[in-house]
Amino acid sequence: MFDGKETRLVGQGWDIDVSLPDAMTKSMRHKSTSPALSASWLYRLAELDYVPDLGEDIGSVRWFRGLATLIALSAAALALIPDYGPIYGVQPSILTEAEFEEARAQMIMPIGYGSDSGKRMAATDAVVALADSPERPRIELTASLGRGDSFARVLQRSGVSGIEAANIVNMVSGVTALSDIEPGTPVDIVLGTRPSKNQPRPLESVAFRARFDLNLEINREVGSLRLSKKPINVDNTPLRIRGTVGSAGISRSARAAGAPAQAVQDYLKVISGRTSLSSIRPTDQFDIIIDYKRAETGEVKVGDLLYAGLDRGGKSNIQMLKWTQGGNTQWFEASGIGESKGALSRPVNGPVTSGFGPRRHPILGYMRMHAGLDFKAGYGQPIFAVTDGVVSFAGRNGGYGNFVRLNHSGGLASGYGHMSRIAARPGSRVRRGQVIGYVGSTGLSTGPHLHYELYRNGRAVNPMSVKFTQRAQLSGSDLSRFKSKLQSLKSVAPGAALTPLQTAAKKDEAPKREIDRLTRRESQTSSGG
């Protein structure tokens, strides 16, 4: 066995003392103790806390070791940040002209955007040039009348000469107004053979629908154009829809009964002006009459709402008829009373900066009566008429500058001063909310604003104290025609406009087959005998 530097070898029948060198002794001792040392260091490394909580034991050795670890990791992360600069790749070489043409002949895209239909080959000796290219004997096309377009331009764009287009326009305008041709109307055009390529093709025929009840055809007969009218049978019976409101509500019930969505919206708007929609009972009945036209060719044209009614307890509680009087269309009650117009509207969008009454004039410097209201507004802002009226004055008026005065019903009038520009003419009729001028600073004014005055029987009154209502009233012959129209609409049975339309009688055409001729002749003979 080994024991330090001196080792005794003991065996059977012998006993030897051996002295080993110091280096060998140290090596053997190290080898005998290295497994224990390795195990202890691994244990220590495993027990070591690499990421201590820096919120605990601040200032201790453990805390500083954690801070050093944090700084080291942060430095390593910053050092490993990637570069976000551009990555340069291999740039393709620019195609030569020959290479570009070769690629363009093989690309796939619309020819209208520059694509080719393949490689172009040069003609060989077998190709013989034509002395003249043939033309189609006639061209049939369909053009559409666009919104804001004219009928003459549609014809000329289709290839009709200017002289023939003007001739056709004169022929059509003699039968119906060109404005009656609705946008989107298709126009069938046939062009004939032209005598030479430098001349337009002659027109052979034009066919289109000029009105809902009229088709027009223009054909060339014996060298001249002739117009033929083909009237279309149209049924103008209004569409009347009646039903019970029920628990679903008036809107859903009316839609379920077949009323168009726009007509239902208009109906609710009219009814809400006479009663609250929440007060309508499930047992009430709605009555809707719509302008409705049907052509024998199958087209249907749904118009505006004509009548809005609401029945309660078997009696007509609300009856409103759309009526036009003096160029103004509004809703009238069955008694001939029109819509009510409430308080005066604001003449300009802005706050009141100076009220009605005595004040010190900002320019003259002494106390004087301020006979109106001053509204704050920017230069050029539109000024509106507070209600319907007639322009009695429009022009320069002393300290008012550019001034407009409107006369209203009931002895009332309104004035608007300091305008930069006047947009109304004396004697013209204006509607409520119509622009009559623009804000300015003309006359005795320190800046752009509107001076607004209101007069009663010629005397200025405080505009803030006046609120009035206007109601149109029919009388005389207007009232008689109104009641006649109302009675005519209410006499229409619900759903009468949906009955089968009676078309025009067809012409008795001669039979084309021989067997049909024989059958017809036998039937005529038997009926005559």
Side-chain angles (χ1 to χ4, degrees):
M1 59 175 292
F2 295 97
D3 186 11
K5 296 182 179 180
E6 296 182 356
T7 303
R8 172 176 284 187
L9 300 178
V10 179
Q12 187 176 5
W14 47 269
D15 185 2
I16 303 174
D17 291 333
V18 179
S19 178
L20 299 176
D22 294 342
M24 184 177 294
T25 305
K26 292 179 180 180
S27 176
M28 294 175 65
R29 185 183 297 115
H30 175 71
K31 290 181 180 180
S32 63
T33 60
S34 59
L37 291 175
S38 299
S40 63
W41 277 106
L42 291 176
Y43 177 77
R44 291 180 181 180
L45 290 177
E47 293 294 328
L48 185 63
D49 188 4
Y50 293 97
V51 285
D53 188 0
L54 297 180
E56 299 178 354
D57 300 335
I58 299 176
S60 63
V61 177
R62 176 173 172 271
W63 184 85
F64 278 107
R65 185 178 67 249
L67 179 63
T69 304
L70 175 63
I71 295 174
L73 292 176
S74 300
L78 292 175
L80 296 176
I81 291 178
D83 185 12
Y84 291 101
I87 300 176
Y88 297 96
V90 179
Q91 297 292 333
S93 59
I94 300 177
L95 298 177
T96 63
E97 184 177 357
E99 292 173 343
F100 177 77
E101 292 296 332
E102 180 73 17
R104 196 166 74 91
Q106 301 176 7
M107 64 183 176
I108 301 175
M109 66 182 300
I111 297 178
Y113 290 120
S115 175
D116 290 336
S117 57
K119 293 185 178 181
R120 298 184 180 182
M121 308 298 293
T124 63
D125 297 337
V127 177
V128 179
L130 294 176
D132 191 13
S133 59
E135 284 192 340
R136 296 169 60 182
R138 62 199 307 244
I139 296 179
E140 299 180 4
L141 55 93
T142 300
S144 296
L145 179 66
R147 189 176 300 276
D149 203 354
S150 68
F151 188 66
R153 287 199 297 267
V154 172
L155 296 175
Q156 292 181 4
R157 285 199 304 268
S158 302
V160 181
S161 64
I163 298 176
E164 288 191 338
N167 188 17
I168 294 173
V169 168
N170 292 334
M171 297 171 66
V172 173
S173 59
V175 176
T176 183
L178 296 178
S179 59
D180 292 342
I181 306 176
E182 296 183 357
T185 299
V187 182
D188 297 328
I189 302 174
V190 179
L191 302 176
T193 306
R194 54 186 175 181
S196 61
K197 292 185 178 181
N198 57 358
Q199 294 182 1
R201 289 178 176 267
L203 180 69
E204 288 191 1
S205 66
V206 175
F208 63 98
R209 190 164 191 160
R211 293 195 309 263
F212 191 71
D213 60 346
L214 179 64
N215 276 334
L216 293 182
E217 288 187 6
I218 300 176
N219 299 301
R220 186 176 297 277
E221 299 177 2
V222 196
S224 61
L225 297 175
R226 296 184 180 274
L227 174 69
S228 59
K229 297 183 293 183
K230 295 185 176 180
I232 303 174
N233 185 26
V234 175
D235 181 24
N236 295 319
T237 304
L239 177 61
R240 187 176 187 182
I241 303 172
R242 286 177 58 90
T244 304
V245 174
S247 59
I250 190 171
S251 178
R252 292 186 177 181
S253 299
R255 291 285 289 140
Q262 184 62 44
V264 174
Q265 292 181 11
D266 296 340
Y267 173 83
L268 294 177
K269 186 183 299 183
V270 174
I271 294 298
S272 62
R274 297 298 176 271
T275 185
S276 174
L277 296 180
S278 59
S279 65
I280 298 178
R281 307 169 186 172
T283 56
D284 295 344
Q285 288 189 329
F286 57 85
D287 195 354
I288 301 174
I289 301 180
I290 308 168
D291 187 18
Y292 197 76
K293 296 179 181 179
R294 294 182 301 160
E296 64 177 345
T297 52
E299 295 83 4
V300 174
K301 190 174 184 180
V302 180
D304 299 330
L305 179 68
L306 300 178
Y307 173 83
L310 185 68
D311 299 345
R312 179 172 295 171
K315 297 181 180 180
S316 297
N317 189 29
I318 298 176
Q319 299 183 74
M320 300 298 298
L321 177 64
K322 197 173 187 179
W323 189 257
T324 302
Q325 182 188 27
N328 298 328
T329 302
Q330 58 177 297
W331 289 91
F332 285 82
E333 298 177 358
S335 59
I337 299 177
E339 293 177 319
S340 299
K341 296 185 178 179
L344 298 175
S345 61
R346 296 180 70 87
V348 71
N349 295 325
V352 176
T353 57
S354 183
F356 181 87
R359 69 165 187 176
R360 183 177 296 276
H361 197 279
I363 296 179
L364 301 179
Y366 58 85
M367 295 294 294
R368 62 180 292 182
M369 182 65 181
H370 187 236
L373 301 177
D374 286 346
F375 287 87
K376 181 181 178 181
Y379 188 89
Q381 192 170 335
I383 301 172
F384 310 100
V386 294
T387 189
D388 297 351
V390 178
V391 180
S392 61
F393 179 85
R396 194 78 179 185
N397 186 15
Y400 290 103
N402 293 330
F403 184 78
V404 172
R405 181 182 174 114
L406 304 179
N407 288 337
H408 311 292
S409 61
L412 292 175
S414 58
Y416 313 81
H418 305 311
M419 292 184 178
S420 62
R421 184 161 61 92
I422 297 174
R425 293 181 298 175
S428 61
R429 181 176 295 275
V430 296
R431 301 288 300 276
R432 178 181 180 178
Q434 180 177 336
V435 177
I436 59 175
Y438 299 90
V439 173
S441 185
T442 56
L444 294 178
S445 172
T446 58
H449 71 285
L450 171 66
H451 176 78
Y452 166 67
E453 294 183 354
L454 192 65
Y455 313 96
R456 174 179 288 160
N457 298 325
R459 297 183 59 183
V461 296
N462 187 356
M464 303 295 290
S465 65
V466 177
K467 295 182 179 180
F468 62 93
T469 302
Q470 291 181 333
R471 294 177 70 89
Q473 177 70 54
L474 298 177
S475 60
S477 61
D478 292 336
L479 182 59
S480 299
R481 289 186 288 107
F482 173 81
K483 289 188 174 293
S484 176
K485 178 67 174 180
L486 179 63
Q487 188 64 29
S488 174
L489 288 178
K490 295 196 68 175
S491 63
V492 176
L498 302 179
T499 57
L501 182 63
Q502 200 162 15
T503 59
K506 297 183 179 180
K507 296 182 179 179
D508 190 11
E509 299 179 355
K512 298 180 179 180
R513 300 186 305 172
E514 184 65 24
I515 184 64
D516 296 333
R517 294 193 184 96
L518 295 175
T519 306
R520 181 179 181 181
R521 189 178 304 168
E522 292 177 358
S523 61
Q524 292 176 350
T525 303
S526 59
S527 61

